[in-house]
């Protein structure tokens, strides 16, 4: 499948690698470290705080006045007859894994931006900010036919390769796309579970098309051992279809006329969307990970600034 030439295209419909890289300096007001602003979505009522980087055991030493008694190693103390404490240091870095959905279901937008563009820009902003914080960054960029895997690294060249993959997948999308494959969200969640280990930061940018009971188990597993944040990307049209809307819709192979004047059809589409939202909200509360919803009406940067509780200028 050839890549779409977006050299003269509207940036609200397609992104370029250079466009994504230029977002980097504008992300410096964002933070994904454990300490969060008071208004941050990560401090929400149903969301856990980020646990942050882990601790590496460094040494045993004699207890000194003022040491936290919780750090006393009682086994060593009993064996030697003198109180000893365990000293820890913060890990120098940790891995961050971004899962970026660029399937054909993301190539839609009734407001200002395509869902695929919002996901691409949000992921690019977060990836560049994570690297600036000193952590390793990588992830999976997936379309309907392929998955590009990038192992987390703390190198600018690796980040640029990741952003290029995002742009390439984004430029594959078009209205006449006929996917040859059938990559599902669960396929990517499974791959993430296999490589991520524990104490990582896992971020998923997707419309979560194809969500099912297996998704819940995979999300539960990821959230149990890591900091997980889901970024559901939605379009307002899915919430309320205009009753006069008519269109031709296609799955890439078959085409059908879509007539929203049919109230039963409008109700089914709305119910499907709301069920997906309810599932994500339920799992967020049950497993203690935050949701950071994104829409197609304003730039991704503005939405991330609002979600993470940051104020003031971003220049």
């Amino acid at each position: 499948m050839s890549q779409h030439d977006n050299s003269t295209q509207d940036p609200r419909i397609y992104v370029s690698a250079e466009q994504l890289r230029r977002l980097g300096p504008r992300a410096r007001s964002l933070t994904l470290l454990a300490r969060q602003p008071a208004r941050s979505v990560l401090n929400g009522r149903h969301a856990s705080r980020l646990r942050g980087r882990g601790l590496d055991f460094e040494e045993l030493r004699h207890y000194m006045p003022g040491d936290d008694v919780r750090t006393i190693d009682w086994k060593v103390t009993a064996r030697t007859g003198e109180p000893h404490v365990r000293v820890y240091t913060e890990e120098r870095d940790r891995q961050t894994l971004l899962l970026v959905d660029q399937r054909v279901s993301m190539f839609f937008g009734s407001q200002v931006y395509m869902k695929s563009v919002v996901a691409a820009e949000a992921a690019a902003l977060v990836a560049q900010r994570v690297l600036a914080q000193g952590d390793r960054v990588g992830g999976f960029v997936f379309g309907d036919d392929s998955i590009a895997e990038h192992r987390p690294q703390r190198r600018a060249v690796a980040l640029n390769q990741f952003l290029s993959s995002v742009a390439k997948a984004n430029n594959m999308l078009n209205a006449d796309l006929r996917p040859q494959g059938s990559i599902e969200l669960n396929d990517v969640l499974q791959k993430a579970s296999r490589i991520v280990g524990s104490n990582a930061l896992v971020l998923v940018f997707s419309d979560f098309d194809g969500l099912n009971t297996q998704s819940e188990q995979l999300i539960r597993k990821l959230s149990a051992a890591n900091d997980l944040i889901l970024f559901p990307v939605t379009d307002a049209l899915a919430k309320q279809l205009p009753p006069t809307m008519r269109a031709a819709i296609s799955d890439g192979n078959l085409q059908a006329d879509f007539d929203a004047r049919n109230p039963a059809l409008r109700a089914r589409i709305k119910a499907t969307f709301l069920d997906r939202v309810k599932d994500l909200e339920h799992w967020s509360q049950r497993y203690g990970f935050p949701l950071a919803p994104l829409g197609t009406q304003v730039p991704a940067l503005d939405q991330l600034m609002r979600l993470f509780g940051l104020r003031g200028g971003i220049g």
Side-chain angles (χ1 to χ4, degrees), residues 19-28 124-125 128-129:
Q19 175 186 339
L20 297 179
R21 282 191 287 269
R22 285 199 304 266
L23 291 169
R26 306 185 70 194
R28 64 176 179 264
L125 283 158
Q128 292 177 87
R129 187 64 192 129

Side-chain angles (χ1 to χ4, degrees), residues 134-145:
D135 289 330
R136 289 167 286 152
V137 63
F140 295 96
V141 182
F142 60 105
D144 295 274
D145 298 329

Side-chain angles (χ1 to χ4, degrees), residues 36-57:
Q36 285 288 311
R39 293 170 57 236
S40 170
V41 68
L42 302 180
N43 287 337
R45 188 174 45 180
H46 303 301
S48 62
R49 287 176 178 266
L50 291 179
R51 286 168 287 192
R53 299 169 182 162
L55 298 176
D56 281 334
F57 172 66

Side-chain angles (χ1 to χ4, degrees), residues 205-264:
F205 302 83
S206 175
D207 61 1
F208 292 91
D209 182 53
L211 207 65
N212 57 29
T213 54
Q214 184 188 11
S215 310
E216 178 181 6
Q217 299 308 311
L218 292 167
I219 286 171
R220 179 191 59 78
K221 181 180 178 181
L222 281 170
S223 65
N226 306 279
D227 287 325
L228 175 69
I229 308 175
L230 303 186
F231 294 79
V233 186
T234 60
D235 185 271
L237 194 63
K239 302 175 186 177
Q240 192 62 55
L241 290 173
T244 58
M245 178 181 174
R246 297 191 68 184
I249 59 175
S250 173
D251 64 359
N253 295 303
L254 302 175
Q255 182 169 303
D257 290 328
F258 174 84
D259 189 349
R261 291 176 298 182
N262 182 334

Side-chain angles (χ1 to χ4, degrees), residues 97-254:
L97 205 67
L98 290 81
L99 280 54
V100 188
D101 190 346
Q102 294 290 295
R103 292 176 296 168
V104 71
S105 66
M106 296 288 287
F107 194 63
F108 180 81
S110 69
Q111 304 297 301
V112 180
Y113 299 93
M114 290 296 203
K115 292 190 293 182
S116 51
V117 168
V118 172
E121 291 195 346
L125 283 158
V126 170
Q128 292 177 87
R129 187 64 192 129
V130 165
L131 185 67
Q133 291 173 179
D135 289 330
R136 289 167 286 152
V137 63
F140 295 96
V141 182
F142 60 105
D144 295 274
D145 298 329
S146 64
I147 304 174
E149 178 180 344
H150 296 264
R151 294 279 174 162
Q153 299 183 57
R154 194 172 52 170
R155 298 167 57 235
V157 65
L159 174 63
N160 285 332
Q161 291 169 350
F162 176 77
L163 297 180
S164 294
S165 283
V166 174
K168 181 179 179 181
N170 179 268
N171 280 253
M172 292 288 187
L173 295 169
N174 63 76
D176 299 319
L177 185 64
R178 294 176 178 270
Q180 301 302 309
S182 56
I183 292 171
E184 300 290 343
L185 176 63
N186 289 346
D187 299 329
V188 185
L189 292 174
Q190 284 179 329
K191 286 181 175 293
S193 295
R194 284 198 293 267
I195 75 164
V196 77
S198 62
N199 198 41
L201 177 59
V202 182
L203 312 168
V204 186
F205 302 83
S206 175
D207 61 1
F208 292 91
D209 182 53
L211 207 65
N212 57 29
T213 54
Q214 184 188 11
S215 310
E216 178 181 6
Q217 299 308 311
L218 292 167
I219 286 171
R220 179 191 59 78
K221 181 180 178 181
L222 281 170
S223 65
N226 306 279
D227 287 325
L228 175 69
I229 308 175
L230 303 186
F231 294 79
V233 186
T234 60
D235 185 271
L237 194 63
K239 302 175 186 177
Q240 192 62 55
L241 290 173
T244 58
M245 178 181 174
R246 297 191 68 184
I249 59 175
S250 173
D251 64 359
N253 295 303
L254 302 175

Side-chain angles (χ1 to χ4, degrees), residues 53-59 87-92:
R53 299 169 182 162
L55 298 176
D56 281 334
F57 172 66
E58 187 173 273
E59 63 174 349
V87 179
Y88 294 88
T89 55
E90 187 178 53
E91 290 175 337
R92 288 190 301 274

